[in-house]
Amino acid sequence: MFISNAFAQAAPAATGGTESSLLSMLPLVLMFVVLYFVMIRPQMKRQKEHKAMIEALAKGDEIVTAGGLLGKVAKLGESFVTLEVASGVEIQVQRSAVVQVLPKGTVAK
């Protein structure tokens, strides 16, 4: 009485199903390619440059730490750097905390 008969419509024949699935995946693949070149690749390049800078540290280099401290490298350890921030004042920081190597003569005593 209240429920009418429902009839299923015949689905159109799937022609070119492989082609349409490839075209639907194309935007997703393009997004990953753009993401790689815009975000992932530059970050890997920055990490490589930072690692090379840390490995090239030498005694007497003037550096800036992540906390903003300026000083001269007094001693080098395997994972720590002793930094002279003033005459007779030395502190130890991790090598990974070094953000930038400054040109010689930047830090005034």
Side-chain angles (χ1 to χ4, degrees):
M1 259 201 258
F2 295 109
I3 301 173
S4 63
N5 291 337
F7 296 102
Q9 291 181 331
T15 58
T18 309
E19 184 178 310
S20 67
S21 67
L22 287 176
L23 286 177
S24 67
M25 293 288 287
L26 186 64
L28 187 63
V29 171
L30 286 175
M31 283 179 20
F32 280 114
V33 168
V34 169
L35 180 74
Y36 175 77
F37 282 107
V38 171
M39 292 179 65
I40 297 172
R41 191 166 176 243
Q43 179 65 25
M44 289 179 3
K45 184 178 176 184
R46 261 185 257 126
Q47 284 177 341
K48 186 185 285 187
E49 289 171 355
H50 186 257
K51 185 178 179 183
M53 178 193 63
I54 288 176
E55 289 175 353
L57 282 177
K59 188 176 177 179
D61 283 347
E62 297 175 356
I63 61 172
V64 179
T65 67
L69 292 171
L70 298 167
K72 264 188 181 173
V73 175
K75 297 177 196 167
L76 288 168
E78 195 169 312
S79 59
F80 291 98
V81 174
T82 303
L83 189 63
E84 184 178 1
V85 292
S87 296
V89 180
E90 293 183 350
I91 59 171
Q92 270 190 334
V93 295
Q94 289 182 332
R95 277 186 177 247
S96 60
V98 175
V99 176
Q100 184 179 12
V101 177
L102 301 172
K104 299 279 185 188
T106 304
V107 178
K109 292 261 178 173

PDB file of all heavy atoms in Angstrom, residues 63-86:
ATOM      1  N   ILE A  63      80.378  31.411  16.500  1.00  0.00           N
ATOM      2  CA  ILE A  63      79.109  30.773  16.161  1.00  0.00           C
ATOM      3  C   ILE A  63      77.947  31.401  16.916  1.00  0.00           C
ATOM      4  O   ILE A  63      78.132  32.131  17.888  1.00  0.00           O
ATOM      5  CB  ILE A  63      79.150  29.259  16.457  1.00  0.00           C
ATOM      6  CG1 ILE A  63      79.391  29.007  17.951  1.00  0.00           C
ATOM      7  CG2 ILE A  63      80.187  28.560  15.609  1.00  0.00           C
ATOM      8  CD1 ILE A  63      79.242  27.555  18.350  1.00  0.00           C
ATOM      9  N   VAL A  64      76.751  31.085  16.442  1.00  0.00           N
ATOM     10  CA  VAL A  64      75.503  31.446  17.098  1.00  0.00           C
ATOM     11  C   VAL A  64      74.785  30.142  17.418  1.00  0.00           C
ATOM     12  O   VAL A  64      74.702  29.251  16.567  1.00  0.00           O
ATOM     13  CB  VAL A  64      74.611  32.311  16.184  1.00  0.00           C
ATOM     14  CG1 VAL A  64      73.297  32.650  16.871  1.00  0.00           C
ATOM     15  CG2 VAL A  64      75.327  33.567  15.764  1.00  0.00           C
ATOM     16  N   THR A  65      74.245  30.030  18.635  1.00  0.00           N
ATOM     17  CA  THR A  65      73.501  28.835  19.013  1.00  0.00           C
ATOM     18  C   THR A  65      72.014  29.057  18.788  1.00  0.00           C
ATOM     19  O   THR A  65      71.564  30.169  18.527  1.00  0.00           O
ATOM     20  CB  THR A  65      73.742  28.471  20.493  1.00  0.00           C
ATOM     21  OG1 THR A  65      73.178  29.491  21.316  1.00  0.00           O
ATOM     22  CG2 THR A  65      75.211  28.295  20.793  1.00  0.00           C
ATOM     23  N   ALA A  66      71.241  27.994  18.928  1.00  0.00           N
ATOM     24  CA  ALA A  66      69.788  28.071  18.756  1.00  0.00           C
ATOM     25  C   ALA A  66      69.159  28.979  19.808  1.00  0.00           C
ATOM     26  O   ALA A  66      68.111  29.567  19.566  1.00  0.00           O
ATOM     27  CB  ALA A  66      69.175  26.677  18.830  1.00  0.00           C
ATOM     28  N   GLY A  67      69.788  29.113  20.964  1.00  0.00           N
ATOM     29  CA  GLY A  67      69.283  29.985  22.017  1.00  0.00           C
ATOM     30  C   GLY A  67      69.682  31.434  21.841  1.00  0.00           C
ATOM     31  O   GLY A  67      69.284  32.297  22.624  1.00  0.00           O
ATOM     32  N   GLY A  68      70.498  31.730  20.836  1.00  0.00           N
ATOM     33  CA  GLY A  68      70.898  33.100  20.559  1.00  0.00           C
ATOM     34  C   GLY A  68      72.216  33.506  21.183  1.00  0.00           C
ATOM     35  O   GLY A  68      72.573  34.686  21.146  1.00  0.00           O
ATOM     36  N   LEU A  69      72.955  32.561  21.748  1.00  0.00           N
ATOM     37  CA  LEU A  69      74.258  32.883  22.338  1.00  0.00           C
ATOM     38  C   LEU A  69      75.313  33.030  21.246  1.00  0.00           C
ATOM     39  O   LEU A  69      75.352  32.247  20.294  1.00  0.00           O
ATOM     40  CB  LEU A  69      74.698  31.781  23.299  1.00  0.00           C
ATOM     41  CG  LEU A  69      73.890  31.640  24.582  1.00  0.00           C
ATOM     42  CD1 LEU A  69      74.311  30.383  25.319  1.00  0.00           C
ATOM     43  CD2 LEU A  69      74.088  32.848  25.455  1.00  0.00           C
ATOM     44  N   LEU A  70      76.162  34.042  21.403  1.00  0.00           N
ATOM     45  CA  LEU A  70      77.285  34.256  20.495  1.00  0.00           C
ATOM     46  C   LEU A  70      78.556  33.920  21.236  1.00  0.00           C
ATOM     47  O   LEU A  70      78.700  34.245  22.413  1.00  0.00           O
ATOM     48  CB  LEU A  70      77.357  35.709  20.047  1.00  0.00           C
ATOM     49  CG  LEU A  70      76.184  36.263  19.264  1.00  0.00           C
ATOM     50  CD1 LEU A  70      76.273  37.776  19.194  1.00  0.00           C
ATOM     51  CD2 LEU A  70      76.176  35.686  17.888  1.00  0.00           C
ATOM     52  N   GLY A  71      79.493  33.304  20.557  1.00  0.00           N
ATOM     53  CA  GLY A  71      80.760  33.011  21.196  1.00  0.00           C
ATOM     54  C   GLY A  71      81.739  32.348  20.258  1.00  0.00           C
ATOM     55  O   GLY A  71      81.426  32.054  19.102  1.00  0.00           O
ATOM     56  N   LYS A  72      82.952  32.110  20.817  1.00  0.00           N
ATOM     57  CA  LYS A  72      84.014  31.439  20.070  1.00  0.00           C
ATOM     58  C   LYS A  72      84.119  30.003  20.536  1.00  0.00           C
ATOM     59  O   LYS A  72      83.980  29.706  21.717  1.00  0.00           O
ATOM     60  CB  LYS A  72      85.354  32.132  20.341  1.00  0.00           C
ATOM     61  CG  LYS A  72      85.747  33.142  19.336  1.00  0.00           C
ATOM     62  CD  LYS A  72      87.157  33.606  19.589  1.00  0.00           C
ATOM     63  CE  LYS A  72      87.517  34.658  18.570  1.00  0.00           C
ATOM     64  NZ  LYS A  72      88.789  35.278  18.811  1.00  0.00           N
ATOM     65  N   VAL A  73      84.423  29.125  19.611  1.00  0.00           N
ATOM     66  CA  VAL A  73      84.609  27.719  19.946  1.00  0.00           C
ATOM     67  C   VAL A  73      85.947  27.581  20.654  1.00  0.00           C
ATOM     68  O   VAL A  73      86.995  27.925  20.102  1.00  0.00           O
ATOM     69  CB  VAL A  73      84.567  26.839  18.683  1.00  0.00           C
ATOM     70  CG1 VAL A  73      84.884  25.399  19.023  1.00  0.00           C
ATOM     71  CG2 VAL A  73      83.223  26.961  17.999  1.00  0.00           C
ATOM     72  N   ALA A  74      85.917  27.089  21.902  1.00  0.00           N
ATOM     73  CA  ALA A  74      87.136  26.898  22.674  1.00  0.00           C
ATOM     74  C   ALA A  74      87.627  25.451  22.565  1.00  0.00           C
ATOM     75  O   ALA A  74      88.825  25.206  22.417  1.00  0.00           O
ATOM     76  CB  ALA A  74      86.909  27.269  24.128  1.00  0.00           C
ATOM     77  N   LYS A  75      86.689  24.501  22.663  1.00  0.00           N
ATOM     78  CA  LYS A  75      87.031  23.074  22.568  1.00  0.00           C
ATOM     79  C   LYS A  75      85.949  22.370  21.774  1.00  0.00           C
ATOM     80  O   LYS A  75      84.791  22.774  21.787  1.00  0.00           O
ATOM     81  CB  LYS A  75      87.096  22.445  23.965  1.00  0.00           C
ATOM     82  CG  LYS A  75      88.143  22.989  24.889  1.00  0.00           C
ATOM     83  CD  LYS A  75      88.035  22.318  26.246  1.00  0.00           C
ATOM     84  CE  LYS A  75      88.792  23.097  27.297  1.00  0.00           C
ATOM     85  NZ  LYS A  75      88.469  22.661  28.656  1.00  0.00           N
ATOM     86  N   LEU A  76      86.368  21.318  21.114  1.00  0.00           N
ATOM     87  CA  LEU A  76      85.425  20.511  20.344  1.00  0.00           C
ATOM     88  C   LEU A  76      85.403  19.099  20.878  1.00  0.00           C
ATOM     89  O   LEU A  76      86.446  18.489  21.088  1.00  0.00           O
ATOM     90  CB  LEU A  76      85.826  20.467  18.868  1.00  0.00           C
ATOM     91  CG  LEU A  76      85.626  21.745  18.073  1.00  0.00           C
ATOM     92  CD1 LEU A  76      86.333  21.645  16.736  1.00  0.00           C
ATOM     93  CD2 LEU A  76      84.162  21.999  17.867  1.00  0.00           C
ATOM     94  N   GLY A  77      84.212  18.591  21.123  1.00  0.00           N
ATOM     95  CA  GLY A  77      84.040  17.199  21.509  1.00  0.00           C
ATOM     96  C   GLY A  77      83.282  16.477  20.417  1.00  0.00           C
ATOM     97  O   GLY A  77      82.969  17.047  19.368  1.00  0.00           O
ATOM     98  N   GLU A  78      82.973  15.210  20.683  1.00  0.00           N
ATOM     99  CA  GLU A  78      82.262  14.434  19.679  1.00  0.00           C
ATOM    100  C   GLU A  78      80.828  14.934  19.501  1.00  0.00           C
ATOM    101  O   GLU A  78      80.340  15.061  18.393  1.00  0.00           O
ATOM    102  CB  GLU A  78      82.260  12.960  20.087  1.00  0.00           C
ATOM    103  CG  GLU A  78      81.884  12.038  18.963  1.00  0.00           C
ATOM    104  CD  GLU A  78      82.152  10.595  19.321  1.00  0.00           C
ATOM    105  OE1 GLU A  78      83.261  10.302  19.808  1.00  0.00           O
ATOM    106  OE2 GLU A  78      81.246   9.791  19.121  1.00  0.00           O
ATOM    107  N   SER A  79      80.151  15.230  20.612  1.00  0.00           N
ATOM    108  CA  SER A  79      78.768  15.697  20.504  1.00  0.00           C
ATOM    109  C   SER A  79      78.553  17.047  21.194  1.00  0.00           C
ATOM    110  O   SER A  79      77.453  17.583  21.141  1.00  0.00           O
ATOM    111  CB  SER A  79      77.816  14.662  21.092  1.00  0.00           C
ATOM    112  OG  SER A  79      78.132  14.425  22.446  1.00  0.00           O
ATOM    113  N   PHE A  80      79.592  17.587  21.834  1.00  0.00           N
ATOM    114  CA  PHE A  80      79.476  18.872  22.522  1.00  0.00           C
ATOM    115  C   PHE A  80      80.555  19.839  22.042  1.00  0.00           C
ATOM    116  O   PHE A  80      81.621  19.437  21.594  1.00  0.00           O
ATOM    117  CB  PHE A  80      79.608  18.699  24.043  1.00  0.00           C
ATOM    118  CG  PHE A  80      78.426  17.987  24.655  1.00  0.00           C
ATOM    119  CD1 PHE A  80      78.477  16.638  24.917  1.00  0.00           C
ATOM    120  CD2 PHE A  80      77.273  18.687  24.960  1.00  0.00           C
ATOM    121  CE1 PHE A  80      77.399  15.978  25.470  1.00  0.00           C
ATOM    122  CE2 PHE A  80      76.191  18.040  25.515  1.00  0.00           C
ATOM    123  CZ  PHE A  80      76.245  16.680  25.771  1.00  0.00           C
ATOM    124  N   VAL A  81      80.240  21.128  22.163  1.00  0.00           N
ATOM    125  CA  VAL A  81      81.171  22.192  21.829  1.00  0.00           C
ATOM    126  C   VAL A  81      81.281  23.079  23.055  1.00  0.00           C
ATOM    127  O   VAL A  81      80.281  23.448  23.650  1.00  0.00           O
ATOM    128  CB  VAL A  81      80.644  23.030  20.634  1.00  0.00           C
ATOM    129  CG1 VAL A  81      81.528  24.224  20.378  1.00  0.00           C
ATOM    130  CG2 VAL A  81      80.518  22.182  19.407  1.00  0.00           C
ATOM    131  N   THR A  82      82.520  23.410  23.453  1.00  0.00           N
ATOM    132  CA  THR A  82      82.714  24.359  24.537  1.00  0.00           C
ATOM    133  C   THR A  82      82.827  25.737  23.902  1.00  0.00           C
ATOM    134  O   THR A  82      83.669  25.970  23.042  1.00  0.00           O
ATOM    135  CB  THR A  82      83.966  24.026  25.360  1.00  0.00           C
ATOM    136  OG1 THR A  82      83.831  22.684  25.859  1.00  0.00           O
ATOM    137  CG2 THR A  82      84.122  24.979  26.519  1.00  0.00           C
ATOM    138  N   LEU A  83      81.958  26.631  24.358  1.00  0.00           N
ATOM    139  CA  LEU A  83      81.818  27.945  23.754  1.00  0.00           C
ATOM    140  C   LEU A  83      82.264  29.008  24.748  1.00  0.00           C
ATOM    141  O   LEU A  83      81.818  29.030  25.882  1.00  0.00           O
ATOM    142  CB  LEU A  83      80.346  28.158  23.385  1.00  0.00           C
ATOM    143  CG  LEU A  83      79.951  29.346  22.565  1.00  0.00           C
ATOM    144  CD1 LEU A  83      80.596  29.284  21.194  1.00  0.00           C
ATOM    145  CD2 LEU A  83      78.445  29.385  22.423  1.00  0.00           C
ATOM    146  N   GLU A  84      83.209  29.864  24.336  1.00  0.00           N
ATOM    147  CA  GLU A  84      83.661  30.961  25.192  1.00  0.00           C
ATOM    148  C   GLU A  84      82.794  32.180  24.865  1.00  0.00           C
ATOM    149  O   GLU A  84      82.889  32.760  23.792  1.00  0.00           O
ATOM    150  CB  GLU A  84      85.135  31.274  24.946  1.00  0.00           C
ATOM    151  CG  GLU A  84      85.673  32.327  25.880  1.00  0.00           C
ATOM    152  CD  GLU A  84      87.153  32.611  25.661  1.00  0.00           C
ATOM    153  OE1 GLU A  84      87.771  32.000  24.773  1.00  0.00           O
ATOM    154  OE2 GLU A  84      87.662  33.466  26.387  1.00  0.00           O
ATOM    155  N   VAL A  85      81.930  32.561  25.833  1.00  0.00           N
ATOM    156  CA  VAL A  85      81.005  33.671  25.602  1.00  0.00           C
ATOM    157  C   VAL A  85      81.559  34.990  26.110  1.00  0.00           C
ATOM    158  O   VAL A  85      81.114  36.051  25.683  1.00  0.00           O
ATOM    159  CB  VAL A  85      79.626  33.387  26.232  1.00  0.00           C
ATOM    160  CG1 VAL A  85      78.937  32.248  25.507  1.00  0.00           C
ATOM    161  CG2 VAL A  85      79.729  33.086  27.700  1.00  0.00           C
ATOM    162  N   ALA A  86      82.520  34.945  27.034  1.00  0.00           N
ATOM    163  CA  ALA A  86      83.219  36.123  27.539  1.00  0.00           C
ATOM    164  C   ALA A  86      84.590  35.652  27.997  1.00  0.00           C
ATOM    165  O   ALA A  86      84.872  34.457  28.028  1.00  0.00           O
ATOM    166  CB  ALA A  86      82.445  36.759  28.691  1.00  0.00           C
TER     167      ALA A  86
END
